[in-house]
């Protein structure tokens, strides 16, 4: 089966293949065949030609069922596909995806560039593999991280072996790394460079901390393999150059994983017995980088640096360099050269005398040159030379001032550009659209408040008007007319208050509640009470 067909299988079929079906309360969906062509045909839009030929004779009509429902039932019976929805919970879906990913992508080699590398306090290493625009989260747990021979860092191209998984808490696909190796340089070389840089930063390679070898040692401690050819070469050279010099050999493993531990144990033993030897030699023949890897151990380097006795490193050939060579007090190109170095004091006396003679000769030559130089300063040519030198110095000063001016201008422009960027950011934060929207909302609020206040004023004034109209109506004489009274006027419109104000034969006009009428006075009669009231008034 091809990879494409295998990836098209559903989660239910994978669980059935593993023999671990998941029992849930949700409705089961029939698993379609694994063939991708069938799935493509199953989920494509239906056309008229795809529907089965359903006639009224084949499907009996049932009350309350439409022809569309009958067609759907016939389609379900024909295809055998259930249209009921399957509802997943988030945990169930992520768990099924994780199981599918972990069973499909078991052993992978992934190449990429490390980015966002961070070491957790627990010892786990988290980073991201990047390749162009794609990225993949990777986790390297502590038990695998301690086995690395180099330290991962951002920008390093690596080849990672591991398996895919899904981190359920974030629903994130990640690669769980098992091993990792750098691309380009080997792991041992990268570990060597990283350890070298770290120890150099700590000052373990400084010349000031290294001790001088004793000029005339009495006994030399040699840490090497007692069965190799190296120890025979050292013994032969020392016996030829210094026959009375004693040798004390500490047997150690010079190759393999136990190299660093046994060599460090030998250094500690010699330091606990400082009266036995005066200097220590680490001796090993040549070999590959893997053979010399034991001398690139950090713990061994720190033991060498902490040694009270001077140490000569004679590991490999002249072109081989190890961390032990940099930390030791002296590096010898070969073990034979180390034997010559520790026994070279007797041969250096003559060389010392020759060196002193050479120094005397050089000193005389130097004084002669100084005298000639002073004489040259007194000539006319030297004056012109000094003038040219003065001009050149001023030109140099001008160049320096010009560079300083350019630097100041660039700094000024940088400050101004930063200010412009700051102001631009402030203007960007003060978005005019947002401010217009806020002003619009405030205007709407004020308009609503104004409308409410106006309505309250109008209602209050209207209530006062109605009250005043009611009072005015109550005090109006017209309201009295509605109760059956009338106002009587004479011909010129004067209101008649008494019978005495008119005579028989005059025309009077009476105003009633509804309309007016005119009448002629035919008789008058004055009552006594009216006369009295009239007199009083």
């Amino acid at each position: 089966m091809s990879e494409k067909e295998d990836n098209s299988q559903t989660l239910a079929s994978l669980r059935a293949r593993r023999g671990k079906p998941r029992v849930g309360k949700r409705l089961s969906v029939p698993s379609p065949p694994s063939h991708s062509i069938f799935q493509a045909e199953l989920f494509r839009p239906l056309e008229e030609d795809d529907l089965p030929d359903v006639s009224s004779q084949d499907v009996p009509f049932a009350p309350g069922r439409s022809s569309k429902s009958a067609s759907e039932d016939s389609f379900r019976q024909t295809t055998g596909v259930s249209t009921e929805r399957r509802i997943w919970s988030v945990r169930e879906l992520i768990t099924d995806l994780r199981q599918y990913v972990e069973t499909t992508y078991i052993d992978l080699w992934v190449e990429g560039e490390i980015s966002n590398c961070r070491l957790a306090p627990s010892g786990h290493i988290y980073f991201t593999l990047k390749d162009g625009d794609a990225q993949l989260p990777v986790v390297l747990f502590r038990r695998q991280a301690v086995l690395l021979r180099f330290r991962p860092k951002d920008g390093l191209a690596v080849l990672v072996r591991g398996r895919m998984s899904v981190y359920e808490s974030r629903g994130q696909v990640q690669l769980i790394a098992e091993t990792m190796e750098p691309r380009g340089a080997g792991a041992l070389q990268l570990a060597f460079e990283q350890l070298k840089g770290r120890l150099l930063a700590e000052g373990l390679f400084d010349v000031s901390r290294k001790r001088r070898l004793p000029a005339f040692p009495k006994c030399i401690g040699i840490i090497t393999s007692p069965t190799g050819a190296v120890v025979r070469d050292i013994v032969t050279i020392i016996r030829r150059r210094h026959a009375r010099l004693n040798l004390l050999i500490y047997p150690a493993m010079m190759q393999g994983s136990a190299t660093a531990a046994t060599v460090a144990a030998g250094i500690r033993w010699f330091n606990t017995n400082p009266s036995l030897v005066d200097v220590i030699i680490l001796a090993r023949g040549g070999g590959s980088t893997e053979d010399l890897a034991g001398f690139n151990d950090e713990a061994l380097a720190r033991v060498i640096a902490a040694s009270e006795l001077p140490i000569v490193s004679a590991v490999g050939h002249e072109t081989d360099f190890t961390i032990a060579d940099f930390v030791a007090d002296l590096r010898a190109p070969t073990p034979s050269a180390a034997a010559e170095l520790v026994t070279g004091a007797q041969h250096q006396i003559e060389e010392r005398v020759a060196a002193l003679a050479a120094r005397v000769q050089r000193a005389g030559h130097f004084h002669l040159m100084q005298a000639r130089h002073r004489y040259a300063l007194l000539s006319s040519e030297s004056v012109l030379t000094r003038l040219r030198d003065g001009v050149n110095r001023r030109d140099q000063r001008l160049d320096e001032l010009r560079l300083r001016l350019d630097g100041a201008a660039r700094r000024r422009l940088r400050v101004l550009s930063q200010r412009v960027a700051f102001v631009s950011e402030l203007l960007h934060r003060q978005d005019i659209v947002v401010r217009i929207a806020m002003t619009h909302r405030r205007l709407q609020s004020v308009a609503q408040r104004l409308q409410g206040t106006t309505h309250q004023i109008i209602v209050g004034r209207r209530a006062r008007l109605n009250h005043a109209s009611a009072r005015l109506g109550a005090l109006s004489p017209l309201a009295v007319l509605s109760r059956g009274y009338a106002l009587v006027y004479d011909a010129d419109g004067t209101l008649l208050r008494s019978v005495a104000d008119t005579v028989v034969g005059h025309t009077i006009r009476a105003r009633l509640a509804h309309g007016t009428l005119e009448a002629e006075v035919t008789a008058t009669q004055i009552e006594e009470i009216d006369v009295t009231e009239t007199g009083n008034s």
Side-chain angles (χ1 to χ4, degrees):
M1 182 179 295
S2 63
E3 183 180 357
K4 180 178 179 181
E5 294 175 352
D6 182 64
N7 291 337
S8 64
Q9 295 180 355
T10 60
L11 298 178
S13 62
L14 287 173
R15 291 198 302 270
R17 185 179 62 184
R18 293 196 306 269
K20 298 179 181 180
R22 181 180 296 275
V23 180
K25 296 182 179 180
R26 56 185 182 273
L27 296 176
S28 62
V29 179
S31 300
S34 61
H35 202 280
S36 59
I37 299 178
F38 178 81
Q39 291 183 352
E41 291 294 330
L42 178 60
F43 294 103
R44 68 178 179 84
L46 293 177
E47 299 178 357
E48 293 181 359
D49 297 338
D50 298 330
L51 295 177
D53 187 9
V54 181
S55 60
S56 58
Q57 296 178 357
D58 297 335
V59 181
F61 176 76
R65 296 181 60 186
S66 63
S67 60
K68 182 178 179 181
S69 300
S71 299
E72 293 176 353
D73 294 342
S74 176
F75 173 73
R76 286 195 295 269
Q77 293 175 2
T78 304
T79 59
V81 178
S82 174
T83 59
E84 296 179 352
R85 292 181 301 178
R86 182 177 184 178
I87 301 176
W88 297 77
S89 66
V90 177
R91 175 173 290 277
E92 290 175 345
L93 181 58
I94 295 299
T95 301
D96 281 356
L97 288 175
R98 179 178 59 80
Q99 292 177 357
Y100 173 72
V101 170
E102 290 180 351
T103 55
T104 304
Y105 305 97
I106 300 175
D107 190 4
L108 300 174
W109 287 91
V110 184
E111 182 180 4
E113 180 180 338
I114 294 179
S115 174
N116 194 21
C117 182
R118 59 191 185 279
L119 177 63
S122 59
H124 308 325
I125 300 177
Y126 301 91
F127 58 92
T128 302
L129 277 183
K130 297 179 62 179
D131 184 7
D133 296 333
Q135 60 182 4
L136 175 66
V138 184
V139 54
L140 183 67
F141 292 112
R142 180 178 58 187
R143 60 179 180 273
Q144 284 82 24
V146 296
L147 301 178
L148 290 179
R149 302 299 299 270
F150 68 97
R151 290 191 176 184
K153 60 181 180 179
D154 291 346
L156 183 65
V158 295
L159 185 63
V160 183
R161 181 180 183 180
R163 55 187 175 85
M164 295 299 299
S165 181
V166 177
Y167 186 46
E168 296 181 348
S169 299
R170 287 199 295 261
Q172 174 180 284
V173 179
Q174 64 182 6
L175 177 65
I176 299 178
E178 297 293 340
T179 59
M180 182 167 57
E181 61 185 40
R183 301 295 291 171
L188 294 178
Q189 182 64 25
L190 181 61
F192 173 81
E193 296 296 338
Q194 290 183 349
L195 179 59
K196 179 181 176 182
R198 188 163 62 254
L199 297 181
L200 178 63
E202 294 181 11
L204 268 67
F205 299 165
D206 293 345
V207 180
S208 59
R209 57 158 296 277
K210 296 187 178 183
R211 295 167 293 274
R212 294 177 58 88
L213 299 182
F216 300 96
K218 297 179 181 179
C219 183
I220 298 176
I222 304 175
I223 301 177
T224 186
S225 175
T227 60
V230 173
V231 66
R232 291 195 297 271
D233 295 340
I234 294 177
V235 170
T236 301
I237 293 175
I238 289 179
R239 288 290 174 262
R240 176 169 51 83
R241 296 169 61 88
H242 199 324
R244 296 183 180 181
L245 185 61
N246 296 323
L247 302 178
L248 183 59
I249 299 175
Y250 185 93
M253 297 290 295
M254 291 289 106
Q255 183 172 341
S257 59
T259 300
T262 56
V263 172
I267 295 174
R268 294 191 187 97
W269 187 86
F270 282 125
N271 278 272
T272 55
N273 301 277
S275 60
L276 298 180
V277 297
D278 300 315
V279 64
I280 301 173
I281 297 178
L282 305 181
R284 189 202 186 283
S288 63
T289 304
E290 290 77 10
D291 297 337
L292 303 180
F295 294 91
N296 293 326
D297 187 76
E298 182 177 359
L300 175 59
R302 297 189 182 279
V303 171
I304 295 175
S307 174
E308 297 293 336
L309 297 174
I311 297 178
V312 178
S313 176
V315 178
H317 297 299
E318 186 174 358
T319 58
D320 298 328
F321 286 90
T322 63
I323 296 298
D325 295 334
F326 295 106
V327 183
D329 299 295
L330 181 64
R331 176 188 178 269
T334 60
S336 300
E340 294 177 355
L341 289 174
V342 297
T343 58
Q346 294 179 352
H347 301 277
Q348 289 177 357
I349 296 176
E350 184 178 352
E351 296 178 358
R352 178 65 174 170
V353 173
L356 292 175
R359 286 182 61 185
V360 171
Q361 185 179 2
R362 287 196 300 270
H365 183 65
F366 176 74
H367 288 296
L368 179 60
M369 289 181 60
Q370 282 187 335
R372 290 178 178 176
H373 179 68
R374 287 194 298 268
Y375 175 75
L377 293 177
L378 299 177
S379 62
S380 59
E381 185 179 356
S382 63
V383 176
L384 297 177
T385 302
R386 286 198 298 272
L387 290 176
R388 287 195 297 268
D389 292 341
V391 173
N392 293 333
R393 284 195 299 270
R394 285 168 174 78
D395 290 339
Q396 184 178 359
R397 179 61 176 170
L398 288 176
D399 293 338
E400 182 181 358
L401 293 176
R402 186 180 295 107
L403 292 176
R404 291 177 59 185
L405 180 61
D406 293 341
R410 284 195 295 270
R411 287 193 298 271
R412 182 62 178 174
L413 290 176
R414 189 185 307 113
V415 172
L416 292 178
S417 62
Q418 291 176 354
R419 290 181 180 177
V420 170
F422 178 72
V423 173
S424 299
E425 184 178 358
L426 290 179
L427 292 177
H428 181 69
R429 292 178 180 176
Q430 299 292 333
D431 193 352
I432 189 63
V433 177
V434 177
R435 299 187 64 182
I436 289 175
M438 294 177 61
T439 305
H440 183 66
R441 287 195 296 269
R442 287 199 297 269
L443 289 176
Q444 287 182 347
S445 176
V446 171
Q448 291 177 357
R449 291 172 57 190
L450 179 61
Q451 184 177 1
T453 304
T454 305
H455 180 69
Q456 291 179 358
I457 293 174
I458 292 174
V459 170
R461 297 293 176 85
R462 185 174 296 169
R464 291 175 58 188
L465 178 61
N466 293 336
H467 180 68
S469 299
R471 292 182 59 189
L472 183 60
L475 298 177
S476 177
L478 298 178
V480 180
L481 300 179
S482 62
R483 295 198 297 269
Y485 295 93
L487 296 176
V488 181
Y489 300 91
D490 57 3
D492 55 0
T494 302
L495 180 65
L496 299 179
R497 298 179 178 274
S498 174
V499 177
D501 295 337
T502 185
V503 295
V504 177
H506 283 191
T507 301
I508 61 175
R509 183 167 54 85
R511 181 175 180 179
L512 305 178
H514 302 285
T516 58
L517 57 85
E518 292 184 357
E520 184 179 349
V521 179
T522 58
T524 60
Q525 183 181 356
I526 300 176
E527 297 181 358
E528 294 180 359
I529 186 171
D530 293 336
V531 174
T532 304
E533 292 177 354
T534 301
N536 293 331
S537 63

